Amino acid sequence: MNTVWSLAKVVVLEMVRRKDFYVLFILTVLLTGTAGSVNLFNDRSIVRYLKEICLLLIWLSGLIIAITCTARQIPAEREHRTIFPLLAKPVTRGQFLLGKFLGCWVATGMALVLFYLLFGLVSGSRDHQWPVLNYLQAAWLHWMMLGIVIAFTLLGSIVFAAPSSNGTISFACAAGMLLLGRHLNKVALSVAEPLQSLLYTAYFILPHLELFDVRELIIHDAGLIRWDMVTLATLYAAAYGAFFLFGAWLAFRRRPLN
Amino acid sequence: MDATLSIEKLRVEYRSRDLGEATKVAVDGLSLHVGQGEVFGFLGPNGAGKTSTMNVLLGFVPPASGTAHIFGVDVIEPIARQRIGYLPEQTYYYKFLTAEELLRFYAGIFRIPKAETERRIDAVLKLVELDHARKRQIKTYSKGMQQRAGLAQALINNPDLLILDEPTSGLDPIGRMKVREIIQRLKGEGKTVFFSSHELGEVETVCDRVAILHQGQLKTEGRVSDLVREHSANLEQIFLKLIGYSPQP
Amino acid sequence: MNPVLPLALALATAVAAGGRLLLWQQSGPQDSGSLLTLLLGESRRAFADQMFLKADGYYHMGNYPSVFDLALPDGKTHMAKESEGHDQHGHSQPLPHHRDWLEAFGHHFRPTGHRHLDGIRDGREILPWLRLSAELDPHRVDSYTVAAYWLRERLNRVPDAEAFLREGLRANPDSYEILFELGRLYAENNRDVPRARAVLELAINKWIHREAAKPAPDTPSYRLILGQLATLEEQAGNLDRALAHYTRLKHFSPQPDAVQKRIDEVLTKMARPK
Ligand SMILES: Nc1ncnc2c1ncn2[C@@H]1O[C@H](COP(=O)(O)OP(=O)(O)OP(=O)(O)O)[C@@H](O)[C@H]1O
Ligand SMILES: [Mg+2]
């Protein structure tokens, strides 16, 4: 565990010292600020569209940070050949993968904390409400969802030969699942047979990232999500994360490095 | 067998991704034994298979056949690497870390206690003369400084066996001398050093024994003094002869 | 160069464009159409639909049908209908039935239950989306009429509603829908009978011009305009005009008896000596 944590810390440090995060954060602040400064029928108390825009930007940024950070880890280690002195030390391939996963996940989590603080400020300054627990639930679920994304991006960075395509593929898969995942069963209803079974299978097998997207609840000031459901969702994410990590380990375990 | 490092009938192959392209045999039937406390020079022209052999020793590439053991442990096991220091042939270290942070990171992997870590970092940085730049990010280092940082990381766990792939490449004459001194000092401490090099003069001065590899096959192996006596020539001449190089008329 | 970044940048630009548009709208709505055409081309209409759906979604507090739900039978937005004042639209609360466990689980993470917004606080929240929808597709008439309905009826901001409708009318000079909303505003809020009359009569002309020849004309709208006009005239004391409009309305109404009752009332009033 010590080894895994050491590896993770380096990933976090890298993220802190790179500019990607700051660019996205500033972009989010600027765009939200722009949208917030718009005068809508002279009514300053209109706030939900602002929450919507801010959350959309946060979700986009979260995906970008998680995927770019993860997708470059292993290719960069190989390209810069830093993987050689590292794996020449008593580190198993499994620990290496776990360390990379943990690092990316923690780094993304840190970014989310800042993003959700910003969101709380934006919405609170208009609304004068501070539903801290609701935001906590939303950020937590968001983080869990990104855990799945990070795990499959990590798997992708081992499976796909061209490292640059992995980022795009992962982004497209995650975005596709977020937008369409919930509807695959309905789409299946409307198509003919061989395709129908296929779509249903996909519906039940693929990780439903959109479950973790509780933006609507936040925007419309709905109540808290039941905590047992949050726990279940967390377990759901853990199961998929573990599954993808296991796949990554299988693929990487005996992979020659050269 | 009490050899620190033993290689038996090792064969290393690179399978090509493209269909139709033949498998490349990089090392073929190599057997080598390095005893404790020896400084062993691993020689051979470019493409001979030196790095490939080391890749097996460190578990990067699985052997196609044959075995390799370090301290009696099969190199497949990660624990075999606890007492090794490895300097790769060419590496860029994590550019966004400082030398200090890099070493602290590696020390963490070896589970070296905190106080001990700081003590060793001071020692190895002084040894490779990077003390003045320890708080600078590695991306600001020159090539030679990076090579020194590499040497420092190879020494951080106070290893009993050092595997160095061309440790002097990219260093200035003073740097080279320094590396030679370090190797000699490690030998004095009873450590085993296994290193590849193209600097035959330097090999001659520091090595107890050498092996010469050519096209994946072992051409000769023995004490430098014995080889010199046997062939009645210096190491360079022996080397050229063994790899079948005849000077142009 | 990581390929995710340009992709993300494109998305961010789209969002940014959205924000920019809102700003643009404030400074001067006149020639924004051309900028948008340039920016988004034909896709802007699709975006406008999305914005309108978003407004509908806000109206239902986040629980709104997706395109996929709409494709299934019985899926329809009805925020616009609401704006016509028919508050008694009868979607009986359907018991949440889930096709599978994933849907059942998912319902804990999304707004559920058919809840409409009420009160001033919630109502105004749909306005940014309608404005954006109108901005993206100025020929989408619903955006103006629905927004005007909310501004006028629920938020009591008649001048804003009028300005927005006028803006819609500039983009859609032939829209009897907008003219009707405008007429209603003059009649009910401003009590400006001559203007209301002028606008509503114009609406009728536009309707006849556009719809009358169609095989399936939009008679509900026609009835609404006629009814509004008839009531206006009746209240203003122009009973013979009111009578003419009611008679015409009766011809189109699915409940001619109810209209006949109004006609009888007018006739009684007319019989009454001054
Ligand atoms: N990843 C690889 N894929 C295919 N062939 C490889 C690969 N790495 C090395 N080889 C081949 O294996 C042979 C041995 O290479 P190796 O790197 O071990 O040589 P070397 O002795 O270290 O040479 P040098 O002195 O140049 O470092 C070479 O012919 C090389 O082309
Ligand atoms: Mg080499």
Side-chain angles (χ1 to χ4, degrees):
Chain A
M1 204 56 226
N2 235 325
T3 310
V4 172
W5 187 235
S6 294
L7 279 155
K9 272 198 302 207
V10 170
V11 178
V12 173
L13 207 61
E14 178 190 9
M15 164 112 146
V16 170
R17 292 193 183 162
R18 280 178 68 112
K19 293 185 191 73
D20 310 18
F21 165 73
Y22 305 102
V23 170
L24 285 168
F25 190 76
I26 290 167
L27 209 67
T28 303
V29 171
L30 285 181
L31 288 176
T32 310
T34 311
S37 63
V38 167
N39 175 6
L40 279 162
F41 303 107
N42 302 309
D43 194 338
R44 287 282 302 164
S45 60
I46 295 180
V47 66
R48 286 187 197 168
Y49 83 101
L50 201 58
K51 290 203 225 172
E52 178 111 28
I53 288 171
C54 189
L55 280 175
L56 177 67
L57 290 168
I58 289 174
W59 270 71
L60 262 177
S61 305
L63 272 183
I64 293 168
I65 288 169
I67 289 173
T68 52
C69 174
T70 313
R72 76 166 168 260
Q73 287 304 325
I74 293 178
E77 286 270 356
R78 300 184 69 154
E79 195 180 321
H80 298 155
R81 309 180 69 84
T82 43
I83 197 169
F84 292 103
L86 180 56
L87 288 185
K89 305 202 163 32
V91 178
T92 63
R93 303 261 175 124
Q95 286 171 328
F96 174 74
L97 287 177
L98 264 182
K100 289 297 181 189
F101 169 79
L102 191 68
C104 294
W105 194 48
V106 168
T108 311
M110 285 163 48
L112 282 188
V113 169
L114 284 179
F115 274 118
Y116 275 87
L117 278 178
L118 170 74
F119 174 73
L121 270 171
V122 166
S123 114
S125 66
R126 278 282 180 102
D127 236 4
H128 308 293
Q129 291 187 61
W130 310 93
V132 176
L133 272 183
N134 300 52
Y135 294 171
L136 212 68
Q137 281 188 335
W140 173 263
L141 289 170
H142 193 173
W143 193 36
M144 295 300 126
M145 191 270 325
L146 289 175
I148 304 178
V149 172
I150 287 169
F152 81 61
T153 308
L154 203 61
L155 171 63
S157 72
I158 295 163
V159 171
F160 297 116
S164 61
S165 61
N166 176 40
T168 319
I169 292 172
S170 301
F171 191 80
C173 287
M177 203 56 211
L178 282 168
L179 294 173
L180 300 177
R182 187 154 74 82
H183 307 298
L184 277 175
N185 58 343
K186 282 167 248 162
V187 177
L189 277 178
S190 64
V191 295
E193 196 19 90
L195 200 59
Q196 183 170 62
S197 301
L198 212 75
L199 273 175
Y200 261 121
T201 316
Y203 174 76
F204 283 109
I205 285 181
L206 294 176
H208 282 263
L209 302 182
E210 81 284 354
L211 282 179
F212 300 85
D213 178 359
V214 295
R215 284 179 292 164
E216 299 282 2
L217 293 177
I218 296 292
I219 291 164
H220 297 289
D221 304 323
L224 278 176
I225 306 162
R226 274 167 50 188
W227 286 102
D228 54 339
M229 290 301 145
V230 174
T231 313
L232 270 181
T234 306
L235 292 175
Y236 180 88
Y240 273 99
F243 171 77
F244 287 123
L245 280 179
F246 182 69
W249 178 72
L250 280 185
F252 191 59
R253 190 172 48 135
R254 299 241 177 276
R255 171 79 49 103
L257 302 176
N258 47 63
Chain B
M1 185 86 220
D2 66 339
T4 299
L5 190 165
S6 66
I7 298 171
E8 294 289 348
K9 299 196 185 70
L10 181 72
R11 183 182 173 87
V12 181
E13 292 175 357
Y14 291 108
R15 226 159 272 140
S16 169
R17 276 184 196 274
D18 309 308
L19 286 172
E21 216 173 293
T23 326
K24 167 88 197 160
V25 179
V27 177
D28 189 11
L30 175 69
S31 295
L32 267 187
H33 300 276
V34 180
Q36 203 227 310
E38 267 191 308
V39 174
F40 194 96
F42 198 40
L43 312 180
N46 292 135
K50 303 182 295 291
T51 301
S52 302
T53 306
M54 292 183 174
N55 281 348
V56 171
L57 292 177
L58 294 155
F60 301 152
V61 174
S65 67
T67 55
H69 288 79
I70 287 173
F71 303 116
V73 181
D74 194 310
V75 292
I76 306 267
E77 309 290 332
I79 192 67
R81 282 165 247 147
Q82 179 70 30
R83 291 158 66 199
I84 298 181
Y86 170 60
L87 173 69
E89 148 170 72
Q90 37 154 301
T91 311
Y92 316 94
Y93 293 90
Y94 303 93
K95 293 172 196 260
F96 50 88
L97 295 184
T98 65
E100 222 175 52
E101 287 166 338
L102 180 79
L103 294 175
R104 216 169 274 139
F105 163 49
Y106 287 138
I109 286 173
F110 284 110
R111 296 155 193 265
I112 302 171
K114 254 207 161 60
E116 175 71 6
T117 298
E118 294 309 315
R119 210 181 53 70
R120 285 206 200 158
I121 289 174
D122 288 345
V124 294
L125 284 178
K126 214 159 267 154
L127 190 65
V128 301
E129 294 179 340
L130 272 182
D131 219 16
H132 62 286
R134 61 189 290 166
K135 290 197 193 304
R136 267 164 56 191
Q137 288 189 28
I138 294 177
K139 64 181 170 203
T140 67
Y141 284 14
S142 74
K143 185 166 183 278
M145 287 166 84
Q146 288 193 19
Q147 184 79 357
R148 286 161 204 254
L151 202 58
Q153 65 81 28
L155 294 170
I156 190 69
N157 59 329
N158 193 18
D160 295 320
L161 168 64
L162 274 136
I163 298 178
L164 311 175
D165 203 347
E166 299 183 25
T168 53
S169 79
L171 294 183
D172 60 21
I174 303 170
R176 285 171 196 221
M177 200 168 72
K178 197 78 203 166
V179 170
R180 279 203 295 275
E181 274 173 32
I182 291 172
I183 290 176
Q184 242 136 18
R185 187 158 146 187
L186 291 167
K187 181 184 154 67
E189 291 170 17
K191 317 267 185 200
T192 312
V193 182
F194 180 80
F195 78 104
S196 74
S197 179
H198 294 297
E199 297 291 326
L200 298 179
E202 138 192 326
V203 170
E204 219 166 347
T205 55
V206 298
C207 289
D208 301 315
R209 288 199 301 144
V210 297
I212 297 176
L213 202 64
H214 182 44
Q215 292 178 344
Q217 292 177 335
L218 186 65
K219 289 296 175 191
T220 191
E221 190 222 318
R223 304 193 73 82
V224 182
S225 51
D226 293 349
L227 290 176
V228 168
R229 200 168 340 108
E230 205 178 296
H231 293 80
S232 55
N234 69 16
L235 195 56
E236 185 168 335
Q237 288 161 333
I238 299 169
F239 181 87
L240 292 174
K241 196 176 111 200
L242 284 175
I243 65 168
Y245 177 83
S246 46
Q248 298 291 320
Chain C
M1 182 72 193
N2 200 308
V4 174
L5 282 173
L7 213 82
L9 214 67
L11 269 164
T13 321
V15 177
R20 185 76 205 84
L21 296 176
L22 285 166
L23 270 178
W24 190 275
Q25 174 69 36
Q26 295 309 305
S27 53
Q30 271 71 19
D31 54 345
S32 56
S34 59
L35 172 93
L36 278 175
T37 322
L38 252 160
L39 245 170
L40 300 167
E42 265 310 296
S43 65
R44 75 190 203 280
R45 204 172 276 150
F47 274 107
D49 288 348
Q50 279 306 309
M51 293 303 124
F52 194 81
L53 273 175
K54 190 99 232 166
D56 200 39
Y58 270 44
Y59 173 62
H60 290 111
M61 311 288 279
N63 177 33
Y64 64 107
S66 66
V67 253
F68 301 98
D69 295 305
L70 290 175
L72 297 172
D74 193 34
K76 196 175 179 345
T77 73
H78 51 260
M79 175 182 60
K81 290 278 168 299
E82 195 83 355
S83 72
E84 285 155 14
H86 297 272
D87 271 350
Q88 76 282 18
H89 68 295
H91 38 63
S92 54
Q93 192 82 297
L95 280 172
H97 96 279
H98 306 302
R99 291 182 191 83
D100 45 63
W101 67 269
L102 273 168
E103 267 191 13
F105 186 43
H107 271 79
H108 291 280
F109 303 94
R110 260 174 305 111
T112 43
H114 201 115
R115 205 150 60 92
H116 284 182
L117 6 118
D118 40 33
I120 290 162
R121 206 191 152 276
D122 288 338
R124 68 180 112 212
E125 298 289 352
I126 69 169
L127 294 174
W129 303 110
L130 293 172
R131 171 142 252 178
L132 201 57
S133 168
E135 188 67 30
L136 287 164
D137 181 4
H139 301 301
R140 180 166 189 135
V141 168
D142 306 13
S143 311
Y144 302 103
T145 54
V146 174
Y149 167 79
W150 282 93
L151 281 167
R152 178 176 68 81
E153 196 88 329
R154 302 283 180 99
L155 306 177
N156 198 23
R157 302 166 69 106
V158 180
D160 287 324
E162 185 186 349
F164 199 45
L165 283 173
R166 288 245 164 245
E167 193 185 312
L169 200 57
R170 269 196 297 276
N172 309 278
D174 286 334
S175 165
Y176 54 84
E177 296 97 328
I178 295 179
L179 285 167
F180 166 66
E181 273 300 320
L182 204 53
R184 207 147 75 132
L185 184 145
Y186 290 137
E188 293 175 6
N189 302 87
N190 291 4
R191 314 230 169 269
D192 183 345
V193 178
R195 278 182 102 167
R197 180 187 296 131
V199 168
L200 287 171
E201 279 173 357
L202 185 60
I204 286 184
N205 287 341
K206 296 286 185 194
W207 189 91
I208 292 169
H209 188 68
R210 269 176 54 192
E211 295 288 319
K214 285 189 186 169
D218 174 15
T219 40
S221 296
Y222 191 48
R223 289 201 300 271
L224 285 169
I225 304 170
L226 280 174
Q228 187 76 41
L229 196 51
T231 317
L232 177 79
E233 298 292 14
E234 187 182 345
Q235 282 167 358
N238 301 320
L239 297 180
D240 40 353
R241 282 198 195 187
L243 195 62
H245 293 311
Y246 277 132
T247 315
R248 207 148 156 208
L249 177 61
K250 186 185 167 192
H251 180 65
F252 285 94
S253 177
Q255 293 147 312
D257 298 348
V259 183
Q260 184 58 50
K261 228 166 152 186
R262 303 293 299 272
I263 292 176
D264 293 343
E265 280 172 32
V266 175
L267 284 172
T268 346
K269 267 193 214 166
M270 285 171 88
R272 212 177 289 153
K274 288 261 157 100

